[in-house]
């Protein structure tokens, strides 16, 4: 029996219908009202407000205070006639638009070529496509079916508009339009004289998009959102995708989710800028996310020997991916199953294609990818840090949104003080706040080298209750959270140790440590060194790259020769599979301990 459910969100009311007794989580996700951190009922973050009787799982994941306030979990709440729920309002993700970059020869991968086109006649019966190819001086085309279908109307409207302005021009003045050229291949067309591009980094946890004015070489708008796909990590995404492959029941939901999300982000940015479409898209992400975007099977990425369907660069119409744009999309190449196109982009942003002293690059996301550049060789590995640095597996963890505690400092009277993003009331802890909090606990002696939390008589100790550091009545950093961070930091640091060992180097030989991504940009290097996440010797050699993947994807599409440089980076890279490395387990166990200080 179908039932009606009332959903209140952002001041609006929506009515949804579903089969009685089915969980609300898939229903809310399909309606675009809820992003599920895990999708399998384990993370406790698909929060809703409902007057329902909590189940055993909700009691275990939420606690008495949250339950008393009406919070429930969409994974465990069942559809029933007359059910009325509300969605707690979440702040927007903050997307880095700043990034470190050097000067480079600027040349968009798609160039505009103005064209003028004479009227057809009985003596000139070339097809509309051939006439456009000839008018642009192209040697071929790569237009999609949607572009071909729209071409006849475009040409006739463009010619009509040009005639009304005094003729169809000579290609320099009053032109009919612009052909979009990739080399000598026609990949699109437009009547607009404004040149824009969309740069997208598809992360496991977040999706970040930048709208770039390529004529003025500047970012004009940005947008960030939680990734709308099921699953908190690549393995759970692969599992969901594999289950769909086995049954093939309708369209691929993971591919549809990300295509719909990128389309909506593009539409919002275009509306914000007051333009109709972009000239091209440059898309990057880890290997699993790129497979899911393209609808490629990811099953073999998730099991040994970890073989992706492809790592090659691609150019195809964005519409073929289900993205609502007539522009071509360029997908960056990857290195391996777990060193993807996003790391290739970050290496471009770090000028890895140019000669420089030895450096480490660390991207601290759901998978912590690390690259060591030494003597012309790039040693790369991926450590399964999990999503704790992005807040998904911590009791009060959250992404970098308004209300997230982002810095924690000692205070002589109160034990600690903290700041929040947007100066909003504290709602949780983001990654940088987690590192600061743990570093503070270590310095105070409240957490020992094994990770055990125990209160002392100091002002900070007064904040320790029920095996947790208390910030507010609703925000706590627990003993379980410390263990989550401990596991993640040990994996990252052990990966660094293995790369140095493989290159025959010492930490002192590293001239620079590049930190990529939002978390790397926000964290204090001294806090990261204090907990043992990065080598202490490198804490004063840190260079923050900011939005490295976005910067590199921009460079890939606007730097002359960048596509060839990316392939050169890949050829120079030696990937090291940590799960098969003889020394990784010992390094991981050793790095589980926190550094001791006198």
């Amino acid at each position: 029996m179908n039932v009606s459910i009332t959903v209140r969100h952002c001041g609006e009311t929506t009515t949804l219908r579903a089969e009685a007794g089915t969980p609300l989580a898939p229903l809310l996700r399909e309606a675009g009202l809820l992003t599920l951190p895990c999708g399998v009922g384990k993370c406790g973050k698909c929060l809703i407000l409902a007057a329902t009787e909590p189940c055993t799982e909700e009691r275990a994941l939420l606690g008495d205070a949250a339950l008393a306030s009406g919070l429930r979990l969409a994974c465990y709440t069942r559809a029933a006639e007359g059910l009325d729920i509300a969605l707690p309002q979440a702040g927007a993700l903050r997307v880095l638009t700043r990034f470190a970059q050097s000067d480079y020869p600027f040349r968009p991968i798609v160039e505009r070529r103005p064209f003028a086109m004479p009227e057809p006649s009985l003596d000139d019966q070339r097809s509309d496509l051939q006439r456009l190819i000839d008018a642009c001086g192209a040697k071929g085309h790569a237009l999609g079916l949607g572009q071909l279908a729209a071409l006849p109307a475009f040409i006739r409207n463009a010619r009509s508009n040009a005639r009304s302005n005094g003729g169809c021009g000579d290609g320099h003045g009053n032109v009919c339009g612009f052909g979009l050229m990739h080399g000598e291949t026609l990949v699109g067309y437009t009547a607009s004289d404004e040149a824009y591009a969309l740069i997208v980094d598809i992360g496991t946890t977040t999706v970040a998009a930048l709208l770039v004015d390529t004529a003025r070489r500047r970012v004009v708008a940005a947008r960030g959102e939680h990734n709308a796909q099921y699953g908190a990590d690549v393995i759970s995404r692969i599992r969901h995708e594999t289950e769909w492959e086995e049954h093939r029941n309708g369209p691929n939901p993971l591919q549809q989710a990300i295509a719909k999300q990128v389309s909506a982000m593009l539409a919002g940015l275009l509306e914000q800028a007051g333009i109709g479409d972009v000239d091209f898209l440059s898309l990057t992400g880890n290997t699993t996310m790129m497979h899911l975007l393209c609808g490629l099977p990811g099953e073999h990425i998730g099991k040994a020997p970890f073989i992706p369907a492809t790592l090659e660069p691609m150019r195809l119409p964005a519409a073929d991916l289900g993205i609502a744009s007539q522009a071509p999309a360029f997908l960056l190449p990857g290195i391996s199953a777990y060193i993807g196109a996003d790391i290739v982009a970050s290496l471009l942003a770090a000028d890895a294609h140019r000669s420089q002293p030895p450096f480490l690059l660390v991207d601290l996301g759901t998978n912590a990818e690390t690259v060591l550049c030494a003597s012309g060789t790039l040693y790369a590995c991926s450590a399964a840090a999990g999503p704790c640095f992005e807040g998904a597996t911590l009791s009060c963890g959250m992404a970098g949104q308004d209300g997230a505690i982002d810095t924690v400092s000692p205070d002589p009277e109160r034990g600690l003080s903290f700041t929040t993003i947007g100066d909003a009331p504290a709602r949780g802890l983001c990654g940088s706040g987690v590192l600061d909090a743990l570093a503070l606990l270590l310095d105070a002696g409240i957490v020992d080298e094994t990770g055990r939390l125990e209160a002392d008589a100091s002002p900070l100790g007064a904040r320790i209750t029920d095996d947790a550091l208390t910030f507010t009545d609703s925000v706590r950093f627990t003993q379980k959270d410390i263990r989550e961070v401990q596991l993640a930091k040990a994996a990252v640091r052990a990966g660094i140790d293995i790369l140095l060992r493989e290159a025959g180097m010492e930490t002192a030989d590293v001239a620079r440590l590049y930190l990529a991504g939002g978390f790397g940009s926000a964290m204090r290097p001294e806090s990261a060194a204090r907990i043992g996440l990065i080598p202490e010797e490198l804490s004063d050699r840190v260079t923050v790259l900011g939005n490295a993947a976005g910067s590199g994807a921009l460079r890939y599409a606007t730097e002359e020769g960048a596509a060839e440089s990316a392939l050169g980076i890949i050829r120079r890279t030696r990937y090291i599979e940590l799960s098969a490395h003889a020394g990784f387990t010992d390094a991981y166990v050793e790095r589980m301990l926190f550094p001791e200080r006198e």
Side-chain angles (χ1 to χ4, degrees), residues 147 259 263 266 281 283 316-330:
Q147 292 168 301
S263 294
L266 172 61
L281 296 84
L283 304 169
L316 68 169
D320 286 4
L321 298 170
I323 298 172
S325 171
Q326 288 298 309
F330 294 85

Side-chain angles (χ1 to χ4, degrees), residues 476-497:
R476 295 163 16 110
F477 183 54
T478 69
Q479 176 70 76
K480 182 178 179 295
D481 295 337
I482 293 171
R483 297 302 185 198
E484 289 279 344
V485 178
Q486 197 169 5
L487 293 170
K489 76 95 181 176
V492 175
R493 185 60 186 278
I496 293 174
D497 292 343

Side-chain angles (χ1 to χ4, degrees), residues 165-425:
N165 290 323
C168 205
D170 59 3
H172 296 287
N174 197 7
V175 301
C176 288
F178 299 89
L180 304 179
M181 305 291 297
H182 180 221
E184 295 303 312
T185 302
L186 178 72
V187 294
Y189 52 84
T190 181
S192 172
D193 56 4
E194 296 179 307
Y196 287 84
L198 184 75
I199 312 299
V200 185
D201 173 26
I202 303 172
T204 308
T205 305
T206 60
V207 180
L210 306 174
L211 184 66
V212 178
D213 183 336
T214 57
R216 298 174 181 82
R217 307 184 187 185
R218 63 187 180 93
V219 175
V220 296
R223 182 162 296 197
E225 298 177 358
H226 288 285
N227 190 310
Q229 297 168 318
Y230 268 113
D233 52 46
V234 295
I235 298 302
S236 60
R237 301 271 172 86
I238 290 170
R239 184 174 64 250
H240 287 304
E241 191 272 338
T242 302
E243 290 172 356
W244 174 83
E245 285 280 355
E246 291 174 353
H247 299 94
R248 290 273 178 170
N249 184 18
N252 186 330
L254 290 173
Q255 197 281 332
Q256 281 199 320
I258 191 60
K260 179 180 178 181
Q261 184 171 26
V262 173
S263 294
M265 294 173 79
L266 172 61
L269 290 169
L270 292 175
E271 182 179 5
Q272 184 177 339
I275 57 175
D277 204 350
V278 292
D279 284 3
F280 62 90
L281 296 84
S282 181
L283 304 169
T284 192
N286 64 54
T287 303
T288 299
M289 294 305 104
M290 298 298 272
H291 274 56
L292 295 178
L293 171 69
C294 296
L296 299 174
E299 176 184 0
H300 301 290
I301 295 175
K303 59 186 179 182
F306 313 114
I307 306 301
T310 180
L311 294 166
E312 298 300 308
M314 285 189 267
R315 180 197 70 196
L316 68 169
D320 286 4
L321 298 170
I323 298 172
S325 171
Q326 288 298 309
F330 294 85
L331 280 62
L332 274 69
I335 293 171
S336 71
Y338 291 101
I339 300 290
D342 52 345
I343 301 306
V344 173
S346 295
L347 288 167
L348 281 173
D351 285 326
H353 52 306
R354 299 176 180 176
S355 178
Q356 57 179 300
F359 69 80
L360 271 168
L361 182 146
V362 182
D363 187 339
L364 293 166
T366 305
N367 284 314
E369 297 96 345
T370 304
V371 181
L372 171 65
C373 178
S375 302
T377 300
L378 296 164
Y379 301 84
C381 71
S382 175
C388 85
F389 293 132
E390 292 166 321
T393 58
L394 303 184
S395 57
C396 293
M398 62 182 292
Q401 301 169 303
D402 285 352
I405 294 175
D406 58 342
T407 71
V408 182
S409 304
D411 185 290
E413 296 181 359
R414 295 176 295 173
L416 62 81
S417 60
F418 59 84
T419 64
T420 64
I421 296 176
D423 293 326

Side-chain angles (χ1 to χ4, degrees), residues 64 198 223-224 255 305 355 407 472 488 523 526 542 587 598:
D64 293 340
L198 184 75
R223 182 162 296 197
Q255 197 281 332
S355 178
T407 71
T472 70
M523 76 180 191
E526 55 269 29
V542 169
E598 296 297 332

Side-chain angles (χ1 to χ4, degrees), residues 552-587:
L554 174 60
R555 287 185 69 163
Y556 181 83
T558 59
E559 180 177 359
E560 188 171 5
E564 292 76 16
S565 296
L567 294 176
I569 285 172
I570 293 169
R571 287 191 293 269
R572 291 166 49 209
T573 300
R574 177 187 164 197
Y575 174 65
I576 297 168
E577 177 55 54
L578 293 180
S579 65
H581 194 283
F584 178 70
T585 299
D586 288 342

